[in-house]
Amino acid sequence: MQLKEDKIGGILVLKPLDKRFDAHSAVDFKARMADFVSSGHTVIILDLSEVDFIDSSGLGAIVSALKTIGRNGDLVLCGIKETVMSLFRLTRMDRVFRIFTDQGEATAALSS
Amino acid sequence: MQLKEDKIGGILVLKPLDKRFDAHSAVDFKARMADFVSSGHTVIILDLSEVDFIDSSGLGAIVSALKTIGRNGDLVLCGIKETVMSLFRLTRMDRVFRIFTDQGEATAALSS
Amino acid sequence: MSRIKTTSSIRLTIDSNLNNVFLVGLTVEAICSYAPFKAVTAYQVGTSVVEAVNNAIKHAYGNQPGHQVEVDILLNPEGVRFEISDTGRPMRLQGSHKLEYDPEDLENLPEGGMGLFIINQVMDHVEYKNFGDRNLLTMGKYYDCDPQVDLCEGD
Amino acid sequence: MSRIKTTSSIRLTIDSNLNNVFLVGLTVEAICSYAPFKAVTAYQVGTSVVEAVNNAIKHAYGNQPGHQVEVDILLNPEGVRFEISDTGRPMRLQGSHKLEYDPEDLENLPEGGMGLFIINQVMDHVEYKNFGDRNLLTMGKYYDCDPQVDLCEGD
Ligand SMILES: Nc1ncnc2c1ncn2[C@@H]1O[C@H](COP(=O)(O)OP(=O)(O)O)[C@@H](O)[C@H]1O
Ligand SMILES: Nc1ncnc2c1ncn2[C@@H]1O[C@H](COP(=O)(O)OP(=O)(O)O)[C@@H](O)[C@H]1O
């Protein structure tokens, strides 16, 4: 999975560039996220604005990242398209994650 | 093939409502057009604005209608989407038919 | 606008590799977007088929490539029907497919076990059967959009 | 944006009935729209495959239902490849596939014979072969859009 990385202050912004976040890309994503966390990044914005599709494995990989970060960090989401959001709602994952419209909103919330 | 029929003065306006104008729908279209012509409709606007796809059989069926109408009538096209238009260009059918942006333009041209 | 008047059908076959599954997803989404489904429904039906194919690869074939997963798609006048089949290990039939968890309880959030839940939530009809060496999952969904009346976003 | 890094593949199978061909068209268009093709190219590649499948049904099978047409789609890092096969009558090989006519000469406008011309215009590679009782049309098209550089309308 191709991930665009940006740093805004102490915040790591990650944007998956693949349109489909599925069981195939989830394996790689999980490993990459574990690497980021173990190298000290514990406040992460995941920008899903390029993602057209997510399945339960994709959702599971994001949950896995949240658990890896644990209670001493933060993982928030932004840029979720309406169709993708419908799967967050169906599985109630919209209540697990803090979800923002875009990177600007997410950064503001994490910096305040 | 579902065809929406309208009469504007002496002009018959036909709009195929199926998104795909292909070998399957072409057979039916050809027969319907022959019926219209034999019942005296010789000035026809074919509005393709609902059509997302056309193949060579669809093109052939429109050519067949043009021949059936012959030199004593008129068959003009309008509302062709860009992708569909690319096939008209590829087969040079854009030089065979008079093509207008919409029904308004086509009606104006036929009435003048 | 698209009125489905007769039945048409197509079979998709892929090798049991997660790398191929998105091709099934793209296909089902495209066909369901053509059919009179709302845009979100077309998307979720596509997701359900992807979940079913993922399951066949992961569980029936234990992630081993070299086996076939078949998806028969039948577009009927009233809805779409999928028949997903594999020749791998049959599924042990479980009762209901619930997804119950506390969104606040970080440690116990589900990382898996959501596929069958999604399928059962989205589809109108789900049936799993084992025939000798073949497992068959049948799923159906009725159209939820009347193009004669509604503005179907999927169109 | 979509970069194809590994090869993935899917097989489509339909019964030889013109009523099923649009399902192949929708599938190929969706897959080519995902791949780094320009929107018009994705559309025309879809049309080419539809023409090839129509030909198999009309000419190889003489419009008789009950036979299979198979379309193998291979999405490679540099382009897409289609293998369309039937078990009907082989095609008599013709020379070039020209489409020459006078747009002003109403009586002699072509109503058919445009399918192979379209295929040859659109695809980068076209090859027809007969293997015993199977006919195989192979067609390939290189991606024409670099999402790292271009704004791909198809995306
Ligand atoms: N096609 C299948 N063949 C065999 N077992 C299956 C199949 N689908 C599901 N299962 C079983 O049901 C369980 C729940 O499946 P699912 O809800 O899709 O979640 P997940 O695949 O993430 O475990 C799986 O872990 C597996 O044990
Ligand atoms: N798959 C095929 N099997 C047998 N004959 C074919 C096949 N494809 C094309 N042909 C032959 O080539 C001719 C030209 O095909 P084409 O350009 O697609 O136009 P059309 O199908 O409208 O005749 C057909 O009329 C047919 O005789």
Side-chain angles (χ1 to χ4, degrees):
Chain A
M1 169 171 273
Q2 244 188 308
L3 280 178
K4 186 165 177 290
E5 300 172 32
D6 273 308
K7 294 268 291 196
I8 306 183
I11 305 171
L12 178 65
V13 182
L14 295 175
K15 181 150 118 180
L17 297 179
D18 296 357
K19 292 189 210 171
R20 299 186 76 90
F21 195 158
D22 63 6
H24 182 62
S25 41
V27 182
D28 184 37
F29 176 81
K30 237 151 80 170
R32 300 280 296 282
M33 290 303 282
D35 285 349
F36 282 122
V37 176
S38 69
S39 66
H41 296 97
T42 50
V43 181
I44 299 179
I45 297 172
L46 186 64
D47 181 344
L48 296 174
S49 56
E50 294 288 327
V51 173
D52 283 344
F53 175 87
I54 196 162
D55 65 9
S56 70
S57 306
L59 288 176
I62 303 177
V63 171
S64 164
L66 185 71
K67 288 185 184 175
T68 308
I69 289 176
R71 302 216 179 267
N72 300 320
D74 227 332
L75 171 67
V76 305
L77 312 180
C78 73
I80 305 183
K81 293 190 183 177
E82 194 43 40
T83 37
V84 171
M85 191 63 195
S86 78
L87 210 73
F88 275 83
R89 285 203 199 92
L90 196 67
T91 53
R92 292 188 303 133
M93 286 294 164
D94 58 327
R95 297 210 248 155
V96 170
F97 293 96
R98 286 164 70 198
I99 297 174
F100 300 97
T101 310
D102 52 31
Q103 287 190 18
E105 261 196 26
T107 318
L110 287 180
S111 308
S112 67
Chain B
M1 168 172 273
Q2 244 188 306
L3 281 176
K4 186 166 177 290
E5 300 172 33
D6 273 307
K7 295 267 290 193
I8 305 183
I11 304 170
L12 178 65
V13 182
L14 295 176
K15 181 150 118 180
L17 297 179
D18 295 358
K19 293 189 209 170
R20 299 185 78 89
F21 195 158
D22 62 6
H24 181 63
S25 40
V27 183
D28 184 38
F29 175 82
K30 237 150 81 168
R32 299 280 295 281
M33 290 304 282
D35 285 349
F36 282 122
V37 176
S38 69
S39 65
H41 296 98
T42 51
V43 182
I44 299 180
I45 297 172
L46 186 62
D47 181 345
L48 295 174
S49 56
E50 294 287 327
V51 173
D52 284 344
F53 175 88
I54 196 161
D55 64 11
S56 71
S57 307
L59 288 177
I62 303 177
V63 170
S64 164
L66 185 71
K67 289 184 183 175
T68 308
I69 289 176
R71 302 216 179 268
N72 300 319
D74 227 332
L75 171 67
V76 305
L77 311 181
C78 73
I80 305 184
K81 295 190 181 175
E82 195 43 40
T83 38
V84 171
M85 191 64 195
S86 78
L87 210 74
F88 275 82
R89 285 201 200 92
L90 196 67
T91 53
R92 292 189 301 132
M93 286 293 163
D94 58 326
R95 298 210 247 155
V96 170
F97 293 96
R98 286 166 69 198
I99 297 175
F100 300 95
T101 310
D102 51 31
Q103 287 191 17
E105 261 196 25
T107 318
L110 288 180
S111 309
S112 66
Chain C
M1 195 199 290
S2 70
R3 300 271 63 196
I4 316 286
K5 272 164 240 99
T6 53
T7 295
S8 51
S9 66
I10 188 167
R11 166 173 294 180
L12 317 180
T13 310
I14 59 166
D15 189 82
S16 51
N17 189 321
L18 290 178
N19 187 31
N20 294 322
V21 180
F22 78 102
L23 296 169
V24 175
L26 288 171
T27 299
V28 174
E29 278 172 40
I31 292 175
C32 290
S33 297
Y34 172 86
F37 281 119
K38 296 193 173 124
V40 166
T41 310
Y43 173 82
Q44 293 187 339
V45 169
T47 309
S48 300
V49 176
V50 165
E51 296 290 345
V53 174
N54 282 342
N55 278 348
I57 294 174
K58 291 194 293 180
H59 306 303
Y61 292 130
N63 267 316
Q64 290 285 317
H67 305 278
Q68 290 192 340
V69 182
E70 287 179 1
V71 180
D72 281 313
I73 307 177
L74 276 92
L75 214 56
N76 291 313
E78 63 285 339
V80 61
R81 190 183 151 95
F82 301 94
E83 298 179 359
I84 295 134
S85 70
D86 66 72
T87 56
R89 238 173 299 132
M91 168 155 46
R92 251 173 276 129
L93 275 178
Q94 303 146 299
S96 63
H97 301 289
K98 291 192 190 150
L99 184 64
E100 277 167 4
Y101 65 91
D102 174 3
E104 308 288 325
D105 182 7
L106 183 66
E107 285 73 24
N108 294 309
L109 292 176
E111 293 180 47
M114 294 180 277
L116 291 176
F117 171 79
I118 291 169
I119 291 172
N120 280 282
Q121 287 287 310
V122 171
M123 305 302 288
D124 292 321
H125 167 93
V126 182
E127 198 184 333
Y128 181 85
K129 268 193 184 156
N130 170 264
F131 300 92
D133 60 355
R134 181 169 290 270
N135 308 304
L136 183 70
L137 178 68
T138 307
M139 333 196 283
K141 180 78 182 171
Y142 295 109
Y143 302 132
D144 61 359
C145 186
D146 182 349
Q148 232 89 68
V149 179
D150 304 340
L151 204 161
C152 302
E153 315 128 81
D155 277 9
Chain D
M1 194 197 292
S2 70
R3 301 269 64 198
I4 315 286
K5 272 164 240 100
T6 53
T7 296
S8 51
S9 67
I10 188 167
R11 166 173 294 179
L12 316 180
T13 311
I14 58 165
D15 189 83
S16 51
N17 189 321
L18 290 178
N19 186 32
N20 294 322
V21 180
F22 77 101
L23 295 170
V24 175
L26 288 171
T27 298
V28 174
E29 278 172 38
I31 292 176
C32 290
S33 297
Y34 172 86
F37 281 119
K38 297 191 173 124
V40 166
T41 311
Y43 173 82
Q44 293 187 340
V45 170
T47 308
S48 300
V49 177
V50 165
E51 297 290 346
V53 175
N54 282 343
N55 278 348
I57 295 174
K58 290 193 295 181
H59 305 303
Y61 292 129
N63 266 315
Q64 290 284 317
H67 305 279
Q68 290 193 338
V69 183
E70 286 180 1
V71 180
D72 281 312
I73 307 177
L74 275 91
L75 215 56
N76 291 313
E78 62 286 339
V80 62
R81 190 185 152 95
F82 302 93
E83 298 179 359
I84 295 134
S85 71
D86 66 71
T87 56
R89 238 174 299 133
M91 169 153 48
R92 251 173 275 130
L93 277 177
Q94 304 146 299
S96 64
H97 301 287
K98 290 190 190 150
L99 184 64
E100 277 166 5
Y101 65 91
D102 175 3
E104 307 287 325
D105 182 5
L106 183 66
E107 284 74 24
N108 293 309
L109 292 176
E111 292 180 48
M114 296 181 275
L116 291 176
F117 171 80
I118 291 169
I119 290 172
N120 279 282
Q121 287 288 310
V122 171
M123 304 303 288
D124 293 321
H125 167 93
V126 182
E127 199 185 335
Y128 181 86
K129 270 193 182 156
N130 170 264
F131 301 93
D133 60 355
R134 180 169 290 269
N135 309 304
L136 182 70
L137 179 69
T138 306
M139 334 197 283
K141 180 79 183 172
Y142 295 109
Y143 302 131
D144 60 0
C145 186
D146 182 349
Q148 232 88 68
V149 179
D150 303 338
L151 203 161
C152 303
E153 316 127 79
D155 277 10

